[in-house]
Amino acid sequence: MVFHTNDHDDLVLDLTGDLSTLKEKSFTIKEGCQYRIMIKFRIQNEVVSGLRYVDGVYRKGVRMERNDFMLGSYGPKAEVQTAMTPWQEMPSGMLARGHYKVKSKFIDDDGDTHLAWEWTFDLKKTW
């Protein structure tokens, strides 16, 4: 998974290894920046209909935002497939700065969770 923004290098979250390390390593993100999430994945055995990326953004235990992005339906392929979320904007201002926890997962129309993980970021005035 890649956190893509036009005014900074991409932040890469490796979802192939130990997912618990993502929770411990915090990324720094600039307030007010425009971003989108790029997801690279491979479908191996069966058709996945209605694949969605769902996340909840928490600050101090309170959910601040919930996102649900439809990525589409995909059939098995040997090649890596790519999907991107629409552009979004990080909150800005003194009250928005701080430490955030994100609970993310990939689910399909059948309600099956294909992958779930948590990651953290710090929203700051500068990169």
Side-chain angles (χ1 to χ4, degrees), residues 13-127:
L13 282 78
D14 183 15
L15 302 179
T16 59
D18 185 12
L19 297 177
S20 63
T21 59
L22 294 175
K23 193 178 193 180
E24 299 162 3
K25 181 184 175 190
S26 188
F27 295 95
T28 299
I29 300 173
K30 181 182 175 187
E31 66 179 2
C33 73
Q34 296 282 326
Y35 73 95
R36 68 192 314 182
I37 295 176
M38 179 172 54
I39 302 147
K40 295 181 180 182
F41 57 94
R42 184 176 20 230
I43 306 296
Q44 294 181 350
N45 298 324
E46 297 179 6
V47 173
V48 176
S49 65
L51 183 64
R52 294 183 300 159
Y53 170 72
V54 179
D55 70 16
V57 181
Y58 296 83
R59 182 169 182 212
K60 298 182 181 178
V62 178
R63 185 171 73 192
M64 305 300 288
E65 182 178 22
R66 183 178 188 278
N67 296 305
D68 189 344
F69 298 110
M70 176 61 75
L71 302 177
S73 298
Y74 298 91
K77 283 188 180 177
E79 304 89 37
V80 173
Q81 301 182 63
T82 303
M84 295 187 88
T85 64
W87 286 101
Q88 294 181 277
E89 184 176 347
M90 277 291 174
S92 61
M94 185 177 72
L95 295 176
R97 294 180 205 136
H99 185 75
Y100 291 82
K101 180 168 76 169
V102 183
K103 296 180 181 179
S104 300
K105 62 183 173 179
F106 292 115
I107 59 174
D108 61 18
D109 281 344
D110 298 330
D112 296 330
T113 300
H114 295 278
L115 183 66
W117 72 99
E118 293 182 17
W119 55 288
T120 59
F121 68 89
D122 294 312
L123 193 63
K124 296 188 176 182
K125 195 170 187 172
T126 61
W127 291 101

